[in-house]
Amino acid sequence: MMDTALAVAFVAVSLAQIMAMVRLIKGPAIGDRILAIDTMTINAIALLVLLGIWGGTQLYFEGALIFAMLGFISTVAYARFVLRGDIIE
């Protein structure tokens, strides 16, 4: 039962990752592309957590935490750059 749930989750998150990639490529506005990058970060975190559950190791969970922090900082920095033209005032 758990293997089936993990397989469905892998497919769903992978499909969401592909759809976010399409939005990143086709996004008509820069805001859409920033949102797509943020969504791809969240999907990557979900994939890391699913890998951790599947592998039975906590190494992926720590990697997911680090990736979440870097994803948040990069999204904020990119949004500030688009809005203000610089990252550090």
Side-chain angles (χ1 to χ4, degrees):
M1 184 69 181
M2 186 70 171
D3 291 334
T4 304
L6 281 174
V8 170
F10 272 118
V11 170
V13 174
S14 298
L15 186 62
Q17 187 79 337
I18 291 170
M19 289 171 30
M21 177 83 72
V22 169
R23 177 53 56 194
L24 178 66
I25 294 170
K26 293 179 62 176
I30 194 72
D32 295 329
R33 291 188 170 134
I34 292 173
L35 187 61
I37 289 173
D38 194 40
T39 304
M40 288 178 65
T41 302
I42 293 169
N43 289 334
I45 293 167
L47 284 173
L48 283 173
V49 169
L50 287 173
L51 277 174
I53 292 171
W54 181 68
T57 179
Q58 295 185 359
L59 182 64
Y60 291 108
F61 298 123
E62 294 171 3
L65 285 174
I66 293 170
F67 200 71
M69 288 188 298
L70 292 175
F72 174 74
I73 291 169
S74 65
T75 301
V76 169
Y78 193 55
R80 281 189 72 152
F81 179 74
V82 168
L83 290 176
R84 298 183 182 175
D86 62 349
I87 297 172
I88 300 172
E89 295 181 51

